[in-house]
């Protein structure tokens, strides 16, 4: 096994700080008035997502992430202003504002029914909002999901959407062809453009941790493998912004550990990631910035530490203190 270090010093320091400070979701009161509460996460649970550096180093050596760190410029890549959509009398999203930056992981959290997936559907073009503006990479974002994909918007879904009758390899090659037809560069590994679709597909499949048969029909895979293959296909499309809808659902502990380390490494290499996830330990452990939705409205935004102390967030998840 290679002895090289795959995580930046900043990522290691951030992970160590997260491991020491976060725990299980509880409601803590300060007297009878409910003030001074904080959302604390269980260190034992969060520790399961601590990057497994030696195992992931082997995986990345086989998959081919760059070994040399590049200097990555952080800049705003997504800006959402006043996004609003109604379904009859239901305000699914009401004046939502959000931004995302390159080389960062942004989280979108909230209780069930808060509007998180509806928000993703508006960004990816599956739904048309009633009001608001979406700017992506300096331009207004319009068009079909396919058009937005060619512009650099990648996405996975709560329930993986692959071509079930096609092989795993053919699903991935489809993503590579999309990237090349749009002349997109792989921000996390520019060298991928110089190799064939097949080599590129195999490399990305191994990078995300898929060890199964690439010739197998995608529809025959177990759920956890479907998730990893869908992530690989999204990366084959060379996104600038990768949107992940509950990506850790259905993964076993080992897969989840590797998944967290992989996302952090991709982000450190310049990829912007927007994440919906119900596992609070995972979200607090890897996100740089978090936006909280409740009943279609933004009720809080900030760093993980700020979100844990926010009274509105605590009430949304745990109820109001008596």
């Amino acid at each position: 096994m290679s002895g090289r270090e795959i995580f930046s010093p900043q990522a290691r320091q951030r992970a160590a700080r997260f491991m020491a400070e976060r725990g299980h979701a509880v409601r803590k009161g300060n007297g009878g008035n409910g003030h001074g509460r904080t959302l604390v996460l269980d260190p034992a649970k969060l520790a399961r997502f601590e990057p497994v550096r030696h195992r992931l180093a082997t995986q990345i050596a086989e998959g081919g992430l760059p070994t040399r760190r590049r200097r990555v410029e952080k800049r705003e890549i997504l800006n959402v202003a006043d996004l609003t959509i109604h379904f009859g009398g239901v305000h699914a999203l009401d004046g939502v504002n959000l931004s995302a930056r390159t080389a960062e992981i942004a989280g979108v959290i909230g209780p069930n029914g808060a509007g998180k997936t509806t928000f993703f559907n508006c960004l990816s073009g599956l739904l048309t909002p009633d009001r608001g503006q979406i700017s992506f990479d300096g331009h207004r974002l319009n068009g079909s999901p396919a058009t937005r994909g060619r512009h650099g918007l990648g996405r996975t879904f709560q329930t993986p959407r692959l071509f079930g009758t096609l092989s795993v390899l053919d699903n991935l090659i489809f993503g590579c062809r999309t990237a090349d037809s749009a002349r997109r560069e792989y921000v996390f590994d520019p060298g991928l453009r110089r190799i064939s679709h097949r080599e590129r597909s195999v490399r990305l499949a191994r990078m995300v941790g898929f060890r199964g048969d690439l010739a197998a029909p995608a529809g025959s895979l177990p759920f956890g493998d479907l998730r990893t293959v869908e992530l690989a296909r999204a990366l084959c499309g060379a996104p600038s912004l990768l949107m992940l809808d509950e990506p850790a659902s259905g993964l076993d502990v080992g897969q989840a550990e590797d998944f967290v380390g992989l996302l952090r490494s991709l982000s450190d290499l310049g990829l912007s990631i927007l994440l919906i996830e119900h596992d609070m330990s995972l979200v607090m452990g890897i996100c740089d910035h978090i936006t909280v939705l409740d009943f279609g409205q933004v009720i809080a935004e900030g760093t993980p530490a700020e979100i844990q102390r926010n009274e509105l967030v605590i009430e949304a998840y745990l109820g109001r203190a008596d």
Side-chain angles (χ1 to χ4, degrees), residues 28-320:
K28 295 177 64 177
N30 181 12
N33 58 11
H35 295 299
R37 295 181 297 160
T38 185
L39 194 64
V40 188
L41 301 177
D42 185 359
K45 183 177 181 184
L46 193 59
R48 105 177 199 240
F49 294 112
E50 184 176 4
V52 189
R53 287 197 292 270
H54 297 301
R55 180 146 55 100
L56 192 58
T58 301
Q59 176 176 312
I60 288 178
E62 295 172 356
L65 269 174
T67 59
R68 182 173 62 85
R69 296 283 169 186
R70 306 190 310 275
R71 185 177 182 85
V72 177
E73 176 190 1
K74 292 191 177 185
R75 58 181 177 83
E76 184 178 270
I77 190 171
L78 176 72
N79 184 273
V80 179
D82 195 30
L83 197 67
T84 300
I85 186 170
H86 304 97
F87 299 116
V90 177
H91 293 237
L93 295 173
D94 189 4
V96 171
N97 299 312
L98 179 145
S99 63
R101 288 159 53 87
T102 56
E104 288 187 357
I105 301 176
V108 180
I109 66 173
N112 288 332
K116 303 181 296 297
T117 297
T118 299
F119 177 70
F120 265 30
N121 287 341
C122 287
L123 293 185
S124 59
L126 292 174
L127 292 174
T128 302
D130 299 320
R131 188 176 73 241
Q133 183 169 315
I134 304 170
S135 296
F136 178 65
D137 213 5
H139 303 281
R140 184 158 185 168
L141 187 64
N142 291 309
S144 67
T147 297
R148 298 181 192 211
R150 288 192 291 270
H151 288 160
L153 200 68
R155 180 181 178 179
T156 67
F157 293 82
Q158 287 184 24
T159 301
R161 299 186 183 183
L162 297 170
F163 299 109
T165 58
L166 295 182
S167 70
V168 171
L169 182 61
D170 285 341
N171 270 277
L172 301 183
I173 287 175
F174 179 83
C176 295
R177 287 174 175 166
T178 299
D180 285 359
S181 68
R183 298 185 177 182
R184 294 205 51 77
E185 297 291 337
Y186 291 84
V187 296
F188 54 91
D189 186 357
L192 287 172
R193 277 291 305 273
R194 296 192 291 270
I195 60 178
S196 70
H197 290 166
R198 181 183 179 87
E199 290 178 292
R200 197 186 311 174
S201 298
V202 172
R203 188 164 166 178
L204 287 170
R206 300 316 181 203
M207 186 187 78
V208 301
F210 181 73
R211 296 292 181 267
D213 182 4
L214 290 168
S220 69
L221 299 178
F223 190 77
D225 283 347
L226 284 173
R227 283 215 173 276
T228 56
V229 171
E230 188 183 42
L231 174 59
R233 189 180 68 177
L235 292 172
C236 283
S240 301
L241 172 66
L242 180 61
M243 303 185 343
L244 305 174
D245 195 345
E246 297 188 29
S249 174
L251 301 184
D252 61 32
V253 173
Q255 288 174 319
E257 289 173 342
D258 287 352
F259 171 76
V260 168
L262 175 64
L263 289 192
R264 192 71 264 172
S265 294
L266 288 169
S267 173
D268 288 344
L269 289 166
L271 186 63
S272 178
I273 298 173
L274 190 59
L275 173 76
I276 292 175
E277 182 56 58
H278 284 293
D279 191 315
M280 293 289 286
S281 296
L282 188 152
V283 171
M284 296 294 173
I286 64 172
C287 288
D288 300 293
H289 190 272
I290 297 172
T291 299
V292 187
L293 295 179
D294 193 24
F295 294 108
Q297 295 183 322
V298 175
I299 62 170
E301 59 88 21
T303 65
E306 291 168 341
I307 294 301
Q308 289 182 64
R309 296 192 298 266
N310 188 287
E311 282 290 309
L312 292 176
V313 176
I314 296 167
E315 289 174 4
Y317 275 96
L318 303 172
R320 185 179 298 274

